[in-house]
Amino acid sequence: MRFPRSLAASAALCVMAVAVAQSVPVPNAAPASSVQIPAAPAPVGAAAWLLMDFSNGQVLAGANPDTRIEPASITKVMTSYVVAAEMKAGKIKRTDQVLISENAWRGGGGGTDGSTSFLPLGSTVSLDELERGMVIQSGNDAAIALAEHVAGSETAFVELMNTYAKKIGMNNTHFANPHGLSDPNHYSTARDLALMGRAMIRDFPETYAYNKIKEYTVNGIRQHNRNGLLWKDASVDGIKTGHTSTAGYCLLASAKRGEQRLVSVVLGIQTDSQKQGFDLRENGNLALLNWGFRFYETRTLYTPDKVIASPRVWKGAENAVAISVAMPFSVSLPRGKFDALKANIDLPKHVIAPLAAGQKVGTLKISLDGKVVAEAPLVAKTAVAEAGFFGRLWDGFLMWWDNL
C-alpha cells in the first residue's frame, strides 16, 4: 500500500481494512484555539432556523431544521430553478414572449392580496422580464405565467417542481403551486430550503444574480426587492423573502465574504406588525451569518487530482489502483480546529476487479474529537480490468485463505 507524502488535510490517516496507519501534518495549520465558541444566536420568534455552509452543505447551527413549515414566497426560488433548468435544456428561451392568461391575472394579479407585478390581462411579456418580476418583486402573477409557459399548466409545472426538489435532496418538501400561497399540501423545512438555495447558487449563478437587484420597474410601476438585507449588508446577494398570515415572516438569505459563502434560513415568525416581522427575519438572518463568518472557516482538504491511497486490487490486471475524491472535498470547522482533524479511509477487505474509472471504492471520513463531521466517496482514478484465468484463480485462493 502506497500513501502520498503530504495531504492537504488532517493529522492521522487510517486505512481500516488493512490495518495500516500513517500520521501526516496539516499544511500551514494554525495553532489550536482554546476559545469556546458561543452558541449561535437563535432568531427571535422563529419556528425553525438553520445556518449552512454553501461549499459542502454542512449545517453549522439550527433549530427544528426538519419541521414542516409553509415556505410562502420562498417557493419562488424553486420556480426560478425549474425555469433555469428547462432553459438550460433548450426547451425555453429568455426571449420567449409569455401570455398573461386570465388564470395568472386573477390568481396573482393586482386584485389579489398577494404580491404582484401588475401584469395586464392578455398582454405578452418576455420570459426574462417575467423572471425578474418574480424574483425581485415576488410577483405571483409572474410565477403563474412562467409556470403555464414552461409546462402548459400550473399542475404540470408543480410536478416538475417536485421532481427537481427530489433531485436536489429536498426529502421533506412538497410543492402545490409555483408562488407559495397557502395550501395544505404545500410545505418544506429549513434544511430543505437551505439545500434549495445552495442548489440555485451552484447550478444557475446567472439567474441567481437577479436576487441581488434592489428594484425593478414593470409597466411604469417601480417596486423594491423585499429582502431588506441587501441594504443592510453588502455581502448579502440573496435570496428570497416570504410571508402569509399562516406561514408568518420568512427569509432565505445568502452572503459571501472572501471565498466563504453561507446560507441562512429563518421561518415562521408570527407578529401582527409588518415592520417587526421584516426586522425580526432580517436581523435574525444577519446575526446568524455574522456568527458563522466570525467563528467558522472552510477549507478544501482534498481535490480529485490528489491520490489518497493505492489499495491492492484482487483478481485484476493491475496490482493496485489509485483512489481519490470525486469532487473537491471541503470541511467547515470552528476556527483553530483544523490541526485536530483525523481522516479515516474505510475500504472493503478485498477490492476486486474489474473496476471502472470513477467507481466508488471506499469512503473518506473526517473526524474531530471522535465525531465524524464530514465524509465523501473515494473513487478509482483509472479502470482496472480483470486478470487472466490463472491470475483470478490464484487470487481467489489467496482470498479464501485470507478469510480463514
Side-chain angles (χ1 to χ4, degrees), residues 114-192:
S115 50
T116 178
S117 292
F118 297 102
L119 300 168
L121 172 63
S123 63
T124 57
V125 184
S126 73
L127 185 144
D128 187 64
E129 188 171 7
L130 278 179
E131 173 78 14
R132 292 171 186 261
M134 180 183 69
V135 172
I136 303 165
Q137 301 172 331
S138 198
N140 293 331
D141 47 357
I144 297 171
L146 284 168
E148 292 177 335
H149 181 75
V150 170
S153 69
E154 282 189 84
T155 301
F157 186 82
V158 166
E159 290 187 24
L160 287 179
M161 294 174 73
N162 287 313
T163 298
Y164 279 109
K166 292 300 181 186
K167 290 183 179 180
I168 292 171
M170 301 172 69
N171 297 322
N172 278 315
T173 292
H174 185 269
F175 294 109
N177 58 62
H179 41 67
L181 294 178
S182 296
D183 186 288
N185 293 316
H186 194 86
Y187 55 82
S188 189
T189 68
R191 188 191 307 275
D192 281 4

Coordinates of all heavy atoms in Angstrom, one line a residue, residues 114-192:
G114 N -51.9 39.1 -2.5 CA -50.5 38.7 -2.5 C -49.7 39.7 -3.3 O -50.2 40.7 -3.9
S115 N -48.4 39.5 -3.3 CA -47.5 40.4 -4.1 C -47.7 40.2 -5.6 O -48.0 39.1 -6.0 CB -46.1 40.1 -3.7 OG -45.8 38.7 -3.7
T116 N -47.5 41.2 -6.4 CA -47.9 41.1 -7.8 C -46.9 42.0 -8.6 O -46.4 43.0 -8.1 CB -49.3 41.5 -8.1 OG1 -49.6 41.5 -9.5 CG2 -49.6 42.9 -7.5
S117 N -46.8 41.7 -9.9 CA -46.1 42.6 -10.8 C -47.0 43.5 -11.6 O -46.6 44.2 -12.5 CB -45.2 41.7 -11.8 OG -44.2 41.1 -11.1
F118 N -48.3 43.4 -11.3 CA -49.4 44.2 -12.0 C -49.3 44.0 -13.5 O -49.3 45.0 -14.3 CB -49.2 45.7 -11.6 CG -49.4 46.0 -10.2 CD1 -48.3 46.2 -9.4 CD2 -50.6 46.0 -9.6 CE1 -48.4 46.4 -8.0 CE2 -50.8 46.3 -8.2 CZ -49.7 46.5 -7.4
L119 N -49.3 42.8 -14.0 CA -49.2 42.5 -15.4 C -50.6 42.5 -16.0 O -51.5 41.9 -15.5 CB -48.6 41.1 -15.6 CG -47.2 41.0 -15.1 CD1 -46.7 39.5 -15.1 CD2 -46.2 41.8 -15.9
P120 N -50.8 43.3 -17.1 CA -52.2 43.4 -17.7 C -52.7 42.1 -18.3 O -51.9 41.3 -18.9 CB -52.0 44.5 -18.8 CG -50.7 45.2 -18.4 CD -49.9 44.2 -17.7
L121 N -54.0 41.8 -18.1 CA -54.6 40.6 -18.7 C -54.4 40.6 -20.2 O -54.7 41.6 -20.9 CB -56.1 40.6 -18.3 CG -56.9 39.5 -19.0 CD1 -56.4 38.1 -18.6 CD2 -58.4 39.7 -18.6
G122 N -54.0 39.5 -20.8 CA -53.9 39.3 -22.2 C -52.6 39.9 -22.8 O -52.4 39.8 -24.0
S123 N -51.8 40.6 -22.0 CA -50.6 41.1 -22.5 C -49.5 40.0 -22.7 O -49.7 38.9 -22.2 CB -50.0 42.2 -21.6 OG -49.7 41.6 -20.3
T124 N -48.5 40.3 -23.4 CA -47.3 39.4 -23.6 C -46.1 40.1 -23.0 O -45.9 41.3 -23.3 CB -47.1 39.0 -25.0 OG1 -46.9 40.1 -25.8 CG2 -48.3 38.2 -25.6
V125 N -45.3 39.3 -22.3 CA -44.1 39.8 -21.6 C -43.0 38.8 -21.9 O -43.2 37.6 -21.9 CB -44.3 40.0 -20.1 CG1 -43.1 40.6 -19.4 CG2 -45.6 40.8 -19.8
S126 N -41.8 39.3 -22.1 CA -40.7 38.4 -22.3 C -40.4 37.5 -21.1 O -40.7 38.0 -19.9 CB -39.4 39.2 -22.7 OG -38.9 39.8 -21.5
L127 N -40.0 36.3 -21.3 CA -39.7 35.4 -20.2 C -38.7 36.0 -19.2 O -38.8 35.9 -18.0 CB -39.2 34.1 -20.7 CG -39.0 33.0 -19.7 CD1 -39.3 31.6 -20.3 CD2 -37.5 32.9 -19.2
D128 N -37.7 36.7 -19.7 CA -36.7 37.3 -18.9 C -37.3 38.4 -18.0 O -37.0 38.5 -16.8 CB -35.5 37.9 -19.7 CG -34.4 38.4 -18.9 OD1 -33.7 37.5 -18.2 OD2 -34.1 39.6 -18.9
E129 N -38.2 39.2 -18.5 CA -38.8 40.2 -17.7 C -39.7 39.6 -16.7 O -39.8 40.1 -15.5 CB -39.6 41.2 -18.6 CG -40.2 42.4 -17.9 CD -40.8 43.4 -18.8 OE1 -40.9 43.1 -20.0 OE2 -41.2 44.5 -18.3
L130 N -40.4 38.5 -17.0 CA -41.2 37.9 -16.0 C -40.4 37.3 -14.9 O -40.7 37.3 -13.7 CB -42.0 36.7 -16.7 CG -43.3 37.1 -17.4 CD1 -43.9 35.8 -18.0 CD2 -44.3 37.7 -16.5
E131 N -39.2 36.7 -15.3 CA -38.3 36.1 -14.3 C -37.9 37.2 -13.3 O -37.9 37.0 -12.1 CB -37.1 35.5 -15.0 CG -36.0 35.0 -14.0 CD -36.3 33.7 -13.4 OE1 -37.3 33.0 -13.8 OE2 -35.6 33.4 -12.4
R132 N -37.5 38.3 -13.8 CA -37.1 39.4 -12.9 C -38.2 39.9 -12.0 O -38.0 40.2 -10.8 CB -36.5 40.6 -13.7 CG -35.2 40.3 -14.5 CD -34.8 41.4 -15.4 NE -33.7 41.1 -16.2 CZ -32.4 41.5 -16.0 NH1 -32.2 42.3 -14.9 NH2 -31.4 41.1 -16.7
G133 N -39.4 40.0 -12.6 CA -40.6 40.4 -11.8 C -40.9 39.5 -10.7 O -41.3 39.9 -9.6
M134 N -40.7 38.2 -11.0 CA -41.0 37.2 -9.9 C -39.9 37.2 -8.9 O -40.2 37.2 -7.7 CB -41.0 35.8 -10.5 CG -41.3 34.7 -9.5 SD -41.3 33.0 -10.2 CE -39.5 32.9 -10.6
V135 N -38.6 37.3 -9.3 CA -37.5 37.3 -8.3 C -37.4 38.5 -7.5 O -37.3 38.5 -6.2 CB -36.2 37.0 -9.0 CG1 -35.0 37.2 -8.1 CG2 -36.2 35.6 -9.7
I136 N -37.5 39.7 -8.1 CA -37.3 41.0 -7.5 C -38.6 41.5 -6.8 O -38.5 41.9 -5.6 CB -36.8 42.0 -8.5 CG1 -35.5 41.5 -9.1 CG2 -36.5 43.3 -7.8 CD1 -35.1 42.3 -10.4
Q137 N -39.7 41.4 -7.5 CA -40.9 41.9 -7.0 C -41.8 40.9 -6.3 O -42.8 41.2 -5.7 CB -41.8 42.5 -8.1 CG -41.1 43.7 -8.9 CD -41.9 44.1 -10.1 OE1 -42.6 43.3 -10.7 NE2 -41.7 45.4 -10.5
S138 N -41.4 39.6 -6.4 CA -42.1 38.5 -5.8 C -43.5 38.4 -6.4 O -44.5 38.0 -5.7 CB -42.2 38.6 -4.3 OG -42.6 37.4 -3.7
G139 N -43.6 38.7 -7.7 CA -44.9 38.7 -8.4 C -45.5 37.3 -8.5 O -45.0 36.4 -9.2
N140 N -46.7 37.1 -7.9 CA -47.4 35.9 -8.1 C -47.9 35.7 -9.5 O -48.0 34.5 -10.0 CB -48.6 35.8 -7.1 CG -48.1 35.7 -5.6 OD1 -47.1 35.2 -5.3 ND2 -49.0 36.3 -4.7
D141 N -48.4 36.8 -10.1 CA -48.8 36.7 -11.5 C -47.7 36.2 -12.4 O -47.9 35.4 -13.3 CB -49.4 38.0 -12.0 CG -48.6 39.2 -11.6 OD1 -47.5 39.1 -11.0 OD2 -49.0 40.3 -12.0
A142 N -46.5 36.7 -12.2 CA -45.3 36.3 -13.0 C -45.0 34.9 -12.8 O -44.7 34.1 -13.7 CB -44.1 37.2 -12.6
A143 N -45.1 34.4 -11.5 CA -44.9 33.0 -11.2 C -45.8 32.1 -12.0 O -45.4 31.0 -12.6 CB -44.9 32.7 -9.8
I144 N -47.1 32.4 -12.0 CA -48.1 31.6 -12.6 C -47.9 31.6 -14.1 O -48.0 30.6 -14.8 CB -49.5 32.1 -12.3 CG1 -49.8 31.9 -10.8 CG2 -50.6 31.3 -13.1 CD1 -51.1 32.6 -10.3
A145 N -47.7 32.8 -14.7 CA -47.5 32.9 -16.1 C -46.2 32.1 -16.6 O -46.3 31.4 -17.6 CB -47.3 34.3 -16.5
L146 N -45.2 32.1 -15.8 CA -44.0 31.3 -16.1 C -44.3 29.8 -16.1 O -43.9 29.1 -17.0 CB -42.9 31.6 -15.1 CG -42.1 32.9 -15.4 CD1 -41.2 33.3 -14.2 CD2 -41.3 32.9 -16.6
A147 N -45.0 29.4 -15.1 CA -45.4 28.0 -14.9 C -46.2 27.5 -16.1 O -46.0 26.5 -16.7 CB -46.2 27.8 -13.6
E148 N -47.2 28.3 -16.5 CA -48.0 27.9 -17.7 C -47.2 27.9 -19.0 O -47.4 27.0 -19.8 CB -49.2 28.9 -17.8 CG -50.2 28.8 -16.7 CD -51.3 29.9 -16.8 OE1 -51.1 30.9 -17.4 OE2 -52.4 29.6 -16.2
H149 N -46.3 28.8 -19.1 CA -45.5 28.8 -20.3 C -44.5 27.6 -20.4 O -44.4 27.0 -21.5 CB -44.7 30.1 -20.4 CG -43.8 30.2 -21.6 ND1 -44.4 30.5 -22.9 CD2 -42.5 30.0 -21.8 CE1 -43.4 30.5 -23.8 NE2 -42.2 30.2 -23.2
V150 N -43.9 27.3 -19.3 CA -42.9 26.2 -19.2 C -43.6 24.8 -19.4 O -43.1 24.0 -20.1 CB -42.1 26.2 -17.9 CG1 -41.3 25.0 -17.8 CG2 -41.3 27.5 -17.9
A151 N -44.7 24.6 -18.7 CA -45.3 23.3 -18.6 C -46.7 23.1 -19.2 O -47.3 22.1 -19.2 CB -45.3 22.8 -17.2
G152 N -47.3 24.3 -19.6 CA -48.7 24.2 -20.1 C -49.8 24.5 -19.1 O -50.8 25.0 -19.4
S153 N -49.5 24.2 -17.8 CA -50.4 24.4 -16.8 C -49.7 24.5 -15.4 O -48.6 24.0 -15.3 CB -51.5 23.4 -16.7 OG -50.9 22.1 -16.2
E154 N -50.3 25.1 -14.4 CA -49.7 25.1 -13.1 C -49.5 23.7 -12.6 O -48.5 23.4 -12.0 CB -50.6 25.9 -12.1 CG -50.5 27.4 -12.2 CD -51.2 28.1 -11.1 OE1 -50.6 28.2 -10.0 OE2 -52.4 28.4 -11.3
T155 N -50.5 22.9 -12.8 CA -50.5 21.5 -12.3 C -49.2 20.7 -12.8 O -48.5 20.1 -12.1 CB -51.7 20.7 -12.6 OG1 -52.9 21.4 -12.1 CG2 -51.7 19.3 -12.1
A156 N -49.0 20.8 -14.1 CA -47.9 20.2 -14.7 C -46.6 20.7 -14.3 O -45.6 20.0 -14.0 CB -48.0 20.2 -16.3
F157 N -46.6 22.1 -14.1 CA -45.3 22.7 -13.6 C -45.0 22.3 -12.2 O -43.8 22.0 -11.8 CB -45.5 24.2 -13.6 CG -44.2 25.0 -13.3 CD1 -43.2 25.2 -14.3 CD2 -44.0 25.5 -12.0 CE1 -42.1 25.9 -14.0 CE2 -42.8 26.1 -11.7 CZ -41.9 26.3 -12.7
V158 N -46.0 22.1 -11.3 CA -45.8 21.7 -10.0 C -45.2 20.3 -9.9 O -44.3 20.0 -9.1 CB -47.1 21.7 -9.2 CG1 -47.0 20.9 -7.9 CG2 -47.5 23.1 -8.9
E159 N -45.6 19.4 -10.9 CA -44.9 18.1 -11.0 C -43.4 18.3 -11.3 O -42.6 17.5 -10.7 CB -45.6 17.3 -12.1 CG -47.0 16.8 -11.8 CD -47.5 15.9 -12.8 OE1 -46.7 15.2 -13.5 OE2 -48.8 15.8 -12.9
L160 N -43.1 19.2 -12.1 CA -41.6 19.5 -12.4 C -41.0 20.0 -11.1 O -39.8 19.6 -10.8 CB -41.5 20.5 -13.5 CG -41.8 20.1 -14.9 CD1 -41.6 21.3 -15.9 CD2 -40.9 18.9 -15.3
M161 N -41.6 20.9 -10.4 CA -41.0 21.4 -9.2 C -40.7 20.3 -8.2 O -39.6 20.2 -7.6 CB -42.0 22.4 -8.5 CG -42.3 23.6 -9.3 SD -43.6 24.7 -8.5 CE -42.7 25.3 -7.0
N162 N -41.6 19.3 -8.0 CA -41.4 18.3 -7.1 C -40.3 17.3 -7.6 O -39.6 16.7 -6.8 CB -42.7 17.5 -6.8 CG -43.6 18.4 -5.9 OD1 -43.2 18.9 -4.9 ND2 -44.9 18.5 -6.3
T163 N -40.2 17.1 -8.9 CA -39.2 16.2 -9.4 C -37.8 16.8 -9.2 O -36.9 16.1 -8.7 CB -39.4 16.0 -10.9 OG1 -40.7 15.4 -11.1 CG2 -38.3 15.2 -11.6
Y164 N -37.7 18.1 -9.5 CA -36.4 18.8 -9.3 C -36.1 18.8 -7.8 O -34.9 18.7 -7.4 CB -36.4 20.2 -9.9 CG -36.1 20.2 -11.4 CD1 -37.1 20.5 -12.3 CD2 -34.9 19.9 -11.9 CE1 -36.9 20.5 -13.6 CE2 -34.6 19.9 -13.2 CZ -35.7 20.2 -14.1 OH -35.4 20.2 -15.5
A165 N -37.1 19.0 -6.9 CA -36.8 19.1 -5.5 C -36.2 17.7 -5.0 O -35.3 17.8 -4.2 CB -38.1 19.3 -4.7
K166 N -36.7 16.6 -5.5 CA -36.1 15.3 -5.1 C -34.7 15.2 -5.6 O -33.8 14.6 -4.8 CB -37.0 14.2 -5.7 CG -38.4 14.1 -5.1 CD -38.3 13.8 -3.6 CE -39.7 13.7 -3.0 NZ -39.7 13.6 -1.5
K167 N -34.4 15.7 -6.8 CA -33.0 15.6 -7.3 C -32.1 16.4 -6.4 O -30.9 16.0 -6.2 CB -33.0 16.1 -8.7 CG -33.6 15.2 -9.7 CD -33.5 15.7 -11.1 CE -34.1 14.8 -12.2 NZ -34.0 15.3 -13.5
I168 N -32.5 17.5 -5.9 CA -31.7 18.4 -5.0 C -31.5 17.7 -3.6 O -30.5 18.0 -3.0 CB -32.4 19.8 -4.9 CG1 -32.3 20.5 -6.2 CG2 -31.7 20.6 -3.8 CD1 -33.2 21.8 -6.2
G169 N -32.4 16.9 -3.3 CA -32.4 16.2 -1.9 C -33.3 16.8 -0.9 O -33.2 16.6 0.3
M170 N -34.4 17.5 -1.4 CA -35.4 18.1 -0.5 C -36.4 17.0 -0.2 O -37.5 17.0 -0.7 CB -36.0 19.3 -1.2 CG -35.0 20.4 -1.6 SD -35.8 21.7 -2.6 CE -36.9 22.5 -1.4
N171 N -36.1 16.1 0.8 CA -36.9 15.0 1.0 C -38.1 15.2 1.9 O -38.9 14.3 2.1 CB -36.0 13.9 1.7 CG -34.9 13.4 0.8 OD1 -35.1 13.3 -0.4 ND2 -33.7 13.2 1.3
N172 N -38.2 16.4 2.5 CA -39.3 16.7 3.4 C -40.1 17.9 2.8 O -40.7 18.7 3.5 CB -38.9 17.1 4.8 CG -38.6 15.8 5.6 OD1 -39.4 14.9 5.6 ND2 -37.5 15.8 6.3
T173 N -40.1 18.0 1.5 CA -40.8 19.1 0.8 C -41.8 18.6 -0.2 O -41.6 17.5 -0.9 CB -39.8 19.9 0.0 OG1 -38.9 20.6 1.0 CG2 -40.4 21.0 -0.8
H174 N -43.0 19.3 -0.3 CA -43.9 19.0 -1.3 C -44.5 20.4 -1.8 O -45.0 21.1 -0.9 CB -45.1 18.1 -0.9 CG -46.0 17.7 -2.0 ND1 -47.1 18.5 -2.3 CD2 -45.9 16.7 -2.9 CE1 -47.7 17.9 -3.4 NE2 -47.0 16.9 -3.8
F175 N -44.4 20.7 -3.1 CA -45.0 21.9 -3.6 C -46.4 21.6 -4.2 O -46.6 20.6 -4.8 CB -44.1 22.5 -4.7 CG -42.7 22.9 -4.2 CD1 -41.6 22.2 -4.5 CD2 -42.6 24.0 -3.4 CE1 -40.3 22.6 -4.0 CE2 -41.4 24.5 -2.9 CZ -40.3 23.8 -3.2
A176 N -47.3 22.6 -4.0 CA -48.6 22.5 -4.6 C -48.9 23.6 -5.5 O -49.9 23.6 -6.2 CB -49.7 22.5 -3.4
N177 N -48.0 24.6 -5.6 CA -48.2 25.8 -6.5 C -46.8 26.4 -6.8 O -45.9 26.1 -6.0 CB -49.2 26.8 -6.0 CG -48.8 27.3 -4.6 OD1 -47.8 27.9 -4.5 ND2 -49.6 27.0 -3.6
P178 N -46.7 27.3 -7.8 CA -45.4 27.9 -8.1 C -45.2 29.2 -7.3 O -44.1 29.8 -7.5 CB -45.6 28.2 -9.6 CG -47.0 28.5 -9.8 CD -47.7 27.6 -8.8
H179 N -46.1 29.7 -6.5 CA -46.0 31.0 -5.9 C -45.8 31.0 -4.4 O -45.3 31.9 -3.8 CB -47.2 31.9 -6.3 CG -48.5 31.2 -6.3 ND1 -49.1 30.8 -5.1 CD2 -49.3 30.9 -7.3 CE1 -50.2 30.2 -5.4 NE2 -50.4 30.3 -6.7
G180 N -46.4 30.0 -3.7 CA -46.2 29.9 -2.3 C -47.4 30.3 -1.4 O -47.3 30.3 -0.2
L181 N -48.6 30.6 -2.1 CA -49.8 30.9 -1.3 C -50.2 29.6 -0.5 O -49.9 28.5 -1.0 CB -50.9 31.4 -2.1 CG -50.7 32.8 -2.8 CD1 -51.8 33.2 -3.7 CD2 -50.4 33.9 -1.7
S182 N -50.9 29.8 0.6 CA -51.1 28.7 1.5 C -51.9 27.6 0.8 O -52.9 27.8 0.1 CB -51.9 29.2 2.7 OG -51.1 30.1 3.5
D183 N -51.5 26.3 1.1 CA -52.2 25.1 0.7 C -51.8 24.0 1.6 O -50.6 23.9 2.0 CB -51.8 24.8 -0.8 CG -52.5 23.6 -1.3 OD1 -52.3 22.4 -0.9 OD2 -53.4 23.8 -2.2
P184 N -52.7 23.1 2.0 CA -52.4 22.1 3.0 C -51.3 21.1 2.5 O -50.5 20.5 3.3 CB -53.7 21.3 3.1 CG -54.8 22.3 2.8 CD -54.2 23.1 1.7
N185 N -51.1 21.0 1.2 CA -50.1 20.1 0.6 C -48.9 20.9 0.2 O -48.1 20.3 -0.6 CB -50.7 19.3 -0.6 CG -51.8 18.4 -0.1 OD1 -51.6 17.7 0.9 ND2 -52.9 18.3 -0.8
H186 N -48.7 22.1 0.7 CA -47.5 22.9 0.3 C -46.7 23.2 1.5 O -47.1 23.9 2.4 CB -48.0 24.2 -0.3 CG -47.0 25.0 -1.0 ND1 -46.7 24.8 -2.4 CD2 -46.1 26.0 -0.6 CE1 -45.7 25.6 -2.7 NE2 -45.4 26.4 -1.7
Y187 N -45.5 22.5 1.6 CA -44.7 22.6 2.8 C -43.2 22.3 2.5 O -42.9 21.7 1.5 CB -45.2 21.6 3.9 CG -45.3 20.2 3.4 CD1 -44.1 19.4 3.4 CD2 -46.5 19.6 3.0 CE1 -44.2 18.0 3.0 CE2 -46.6 18.3 2.6 CZ -45.4 17.5 2.6 OH -45.5 16.2 2.2
S188 N -42.4 22.7 3.4 CA -40.9 22.5 3.3 C -40.3 22.5 4.7 O -41.1 22.6 5.7 CB -40.3 23.4 2.3 OG -38.9 23.0 2.1
T189 N -39.0 22.5 4.7 CA -38.3 22.6 6.0 C -37.1 23.6 5.9 O -36.7 23.9 4.8 CB -37.8 21.3 6.5 OG1 -36.7 20.9 5.6 CG2 -38.9 20.2 6.5
A190 N -36.6 24.0 7.0 CA -35.4 24.9 7.0 C -34.3 24.2 6.2 O -33.6 24.8 5.4 CB -35.0 25.3 8.4
R191 N -34.0 22.9 6.5 CA -32.9 22.2 5.9 C -33.1 22.2 4.4 O -32.2 22.4 3.6 CB -32.8 20.8 6.4 CG -31.6 20.1 5.9 CD -31.6 18.6 6.3 NE -31.8 18.4 7.8 CZ -30.9 18.4 8.7 NH1 -29.6 18.6 8.3 NH2 -31.2 18.2 9.9
D192 N -34.4 21.8 3.9 CA -34.6 21.7 2.5 C -34.5 23.0 1.8 O -34.0 23.1 0.7 CB -36.0 21.1 2.3 CG -36.1 19.6 2.5 OD1 -35.0 19.0 2.9 OD2 -37.1 19.0 2.3

